[in-house]
Amino acid sequence: MKIHVLGYWGTYPAPGEATTGFLVETDGEKVLLDCGSGVLAQLFKLCGVESLSAVVVTHHHYDHTADLGVLSYALLKARVNQTRTTPLPMYMLEGPAGLMRDLRTEPLADVRRIDATDTVHIGELTLTFAPTVHPVKCLAVRFEHQGKVFVFSADSSVCQPLRTLAHGADLFLCEASMYDGEETVAKRAGHMTAGQAGQLAREAGARRLALTHYPHEGDLERLVAQATEAFGQPVQRLHTLDVLTV
Ligand SMILES: [Zn+2]
Ligand SMILES: [Zn+2]
């Protein structure tokens, strides 16, 4: 698997960048994982909507869904131009009525409602899920492909279902929305500090850890250092269009 980094900011994008979005690519598939603000502008540097196999949305917060509406317009254009004639499968929890209506208008998207107990197959990819602890219903996702495992925390405070889902992951992409010392605020907001992300990854036996969902405040090198100390080995900081190979 290759994971292309489209966006990693929490809450809102930094100039020229994007909030949460990743493209999970195998030989046969391209799966868009979350579709936050600015994600399509980065995606289109790599491919068009014609190439997408599916979209997976972890939860309905705008920093993970803001570009879904314009994605539906891109699909409409692709249909008019006959560059994409099949509906795009979109796996997600039930969302706001207006968005769900727009996505289902015309058969542009094939919206498939998922829950934590589901198993989804996209080509040779197998996806399983875990419920996270967050102010709205949210799913962490485990991708398995040819014996390799990539796990994305989505948004969450520390919880056992996420620790279980991340067990033995070759790559664990975990949110770190706050710095050490902000544990009380993080728990209240349904997020993790860098140290909590590192500790959770170590307890899960993850082989590699990369951080995402960055705060706009403070020094991100400190965020990485705090996670590295808790994880016990080097932790990766993301940059736009990085490619993580699993
Ligand atoms: Zn969220
Ligand atoms: Zn978020």
Side-chain angles (χ1 to χ4, degrees):
M1 280 177 280
K2 285 183 179 168
I3 295 98
H4 300 266
V5 177
L6 305 176
Y8 46 75
W9 289 102
T11 58
Y12 57 89
E17 301 199 317
T19 62
T20 302
F22 302 94
L23 183 68
V24 181
E25 181 180 18
T26 64
D27 284 345
E29 313 298 331
K30 285 190 173 74
V31 177
L32 179 60
L33 174 60
D34 278 347
C35 192
S37 176
V39 163
L40 285 194
Q42 301 300 334
L43 176 73
F44 292 156
K45 294 174 181 172
L46 303 176
C47 68
V49 294
E50 301 80 15
S51 309
L52 290 179
S53 313
V55 179
V56 177
V57 178
T58 60
H59 68 299
H60 289 277
H61 272 160
Y62 293 124
D63 54 332
H64 299 251
T65 61
D67 273 7
L68 277 179
V70 288
L71 174 60
S72 76
Y73 296 158
L75 289 168
L76 179 60
K77 274 285 191 183
R79 173 165 287 250
V80 169
N81 296 333
Q82 294 280 303
T83 53
R84 181 181 187 110
T85 53
T86 54
L88 177 60
M90 290 191 183
Y91 298 90
M92 63 179 74
L93 298 156
E94 191 69 21
L99 173 67
M100 301 313 278
R101 185 195 59 231
D102 289 346
L103 292 178
R104 288 175 174 137
T105 305
E106 304 287 332
L108 303 168
D110 176 6
V111 179
R112 303 176 187 184
R113 192 173 163 180
I114 48 169
D115 225 318
T117 55
D118 288 337
T119 298
V120 168
H121 297 282
I122 303 170
E124 292 186 352
L125 282 164
T126 300
L127 283 63
T128 49
F129 307 91
T132 76
V133 176
H134 199 53
V136 299
K137 205 171 172 187
C138 178
L139 296 175
V141 192
R142 180 181 176 104
F143 290 79
E144 299 189 33
H145 181 258
Q146 296 179 348
K148 296 290 185 179
V149 176
F150 161 58
V151 175
F152 174 49
S153 68
D155 286 6
S156 185
S157 53
V158 177
C159 65
Q160 185 55 39
L162 178 57
R163 196 181 283 116
T164 302
L165 191 79
H167 179 72
D170 294 288
L171 174 64
F172 182 33
L173 180 56
C174 188
E175 75 128 281
S177 301
M178 296 178 196
Y179 295 89
D180 289 1
E182 299 178 288
E183 285 76 14
T184 305
V185 186
K187 187 174 183 186
R188 198 182 313 132
H191 288 297
M192 271 182 265
T193 65
Q196 287 176 325
Q199 186 179 342
L200 191 144
R202 181 166 48 77
E203 291 167 351
R207 289 182 177 81
R208 280 166 63 201
L209 172 63
L211 303 180
T212 185
H213 212 271
Y214 298 153
H216 291 268
E217 305 79 18
D219 177 4
L220 293 181
E221 290 306 322
R222 189 160 64 90
L223 196 82
V224 171
Q226 291 171 347
T228 297
E229 188 181 350
F231 185 47
Q233 52 178 302
V235 170
Q236 191 165 354
R237 174 183 168 183
L238 303 183
H239 297 89
T240 302
L241 298 183
D242 275 354
V243 182
L244 313 177
T245 302
V246 179

